[in-house]
Amino acid sequence: MEEYPLTVPSRSAVRVRVPAKINLHLGVGPLRDDKFHDLATVFHAVSLHDELTLEPGPPGVRLILDAAAAEPPADRNPVDDNPVDGVSTDGVPTDERNLAVRALHALAAAAKVEPAVTVRLRKGIPVAGGMAGGSADAAAALLAGDALWNLATPIERLHALAAGLGSDVPFALHGGDALGTGRGERLAPLSHPYRRHWVLAVAGEGLSTPAVYAETDRLRGADASASDPTAVVKALDDPDPTALAEALCNDLQAAALSLRPELADVLAAGRTAGALGGIVSGSGPTCAFLAADAAHAERIAQQLRNAAVPGVSAVLIAHGPVEGARLTVED
Ligand code: ATP
């Protein structure tokens, strides 16, 4: 049996806040031999956050879904930020299937530390919503575990561990705006001079990411090439959000609409409410609508709430880009 050195944590609690993402462009290329698709995507981190708090605990990794009130960050803007307890935690596993638990085991094994930790997870990112909430929690767990166990893991090593856990995990560490290639794990930062304002129509029932990719292959053939992200990359440097609205593109959208036809009504409702543009976020079913500014986002959100579109369980407001996973508390 492998011997682990005894590690005495010098911290008694570590909290990490991690954002959701939307894909401003999601170009899906051919199915690879390893069953992943080649992607050309523009990730955009938005101000819906999950929060992970780690404390020393009994041997192993124990995860608790936390509904108790956490202190809001001092700089929270009530107009364009949402409470971290804004979404249902239905469907979030608390065992080894949870990506945060997997991440802590992977980090502990790499560092040869015996994990003995209790994780409290607060979800503010819609579950199975195409906003990479599970991936975000994995990134947060890597950062929090690193701090709790005093590992000082080099960022390249954390990035490699993140990529091993899932295609969207490295971006959740990174945040901001980034071009993702490979299966999304190879990141190149993009300039992001302008704040964008979003309205997010969250569905009550999630969509399975593998099912949406499979439907994409069925609709277009498995060897279709990825659409080109250049227009979105250019639009990021344009202060006029209309340019970005016109460039938004998601190669998974047709499949998400095929599996969930009522999403067409959600997208139409966003346009009727005055959004500059709208798109299915990642594999869906969350729909993201671009607004001209914060007040415009408020008006769109209110109109969408009043419209009570079937299948929409919540309408949230967010802005982006925001920073990636960050420590917020260390004791
Ligand atoms: P993807 O990153 O594949 O686009 P998504 O954003 O659509 O995923 P997630 O919120 O990550 O969706 O959840 C997808 C599934 O992952 C959930 O239905 C749940 O079973 C599982 N899961 C594992 N860990 C977590 C977690 N920490 N939070 C939420 N879901 C998780």
Side-chain angles (χ1 to χ4, degrees), residues 36-309:
F36 288 100
H37 289 78
D38 267 322
L39 301 184
T41 187
V42 177
F43 289 113
H44 178 72
V46 294
S47 61
L48 294 185
H49 291 93
D50 280 0
E51 241 169 34
L52 245 80
T53 307
L54 265 58
E55 293 161 5
V61 178
R62 189 168 63 115
L63 184 136
I64 299 167
L65 290 169
D66 192 357
E71 281 298 305
D75 63 351
R76 173 176 287 170
N77 178 346
V79 173
D80 59 10
D81 210 346
N82 298 290
V84 168
D85 54 359
V87 298
S88 153
T89 54
D90 286 356
V92 180
T94 55
D95 57 15
E96 312 288 313
R97 288 169 301 166
N98 193 297
L99 275 175
V101 175
R102 267 194 242 166
L104 285 165
H105 283 299
L107 179 68
K112 302 203 181 326
V113 168
E114 189 171 6
V117 62
T118 298
V119 181
R120 290 179 200 282
L121 170 58
R122 289 171 60 77
K123 296 293 297 181
I125 305 176
V127 176
M131 301 193 77
S135 303
D137 297 343
L142 289 177
L143 207 63
D146 180 69
L148 188 74
W149 297 327
N150 270 323
L151 302 176
T153 312
I155 187 66
E156 306 74 41
R157 183 79 195 110
L158 278 186
H159 188 104
L161 281 167
L165 289 159
S167 308
D168 291 339
V169 184
F171 177 71
L173 278 177
H174 186 282
D177 285 315
L179 183 67
T181 52
R183 49 187 175 80
E185 85 288 10
R186 285 209 301 268
L187 297 177
L190 293 169
S191 75
H192 46 264
Y194 304 107
R195 176 177 278 202
R196 310 297 182 174
H197 297 271
W198 300 94
V199 177
L200 301 160
V202 178
E205 198 188 333
L207 263 177
S208 148
T209 304
V212 175
Y213 273 95
E215 180 68 356
T216 301
D217 291 341
R218 193 185 70 78
L219 292 174
R220 342 176 285 176
D223 54 359
S225 50
S227 57
D228 183 352
T230 309
V232 160
V233 173
K234 268 182 70 182
L236 286 178
D237 279 324
D238 192 330
D240 180 358
T242 315
L244 180 58
E246 282 165 8
L248 296 172
C249 171
N250 181 358
D251 288 350
L252 293 180
Q253 183 157 311
L257 288 168
S258 163
L259 295 176
R260 186 70 63 81
E262 58 265 39
L263 288 180
D265 300 331
V266 181
L267 290 170
R271 278 194 297 274
T272 304
L276 304 179
I279 196 168
V280 170
S281 171
S283 54
T286 304
C287 291
F289 298 103
L290 185 60
D293 53 34
H296 187 215
E298 274 293 336
R299 289 198 299 276
I300 296 167
Q302 202 48 56
Q303 197 165 326
L304 272 176
R305 288 181 191 121
N306 292 344
V309 187

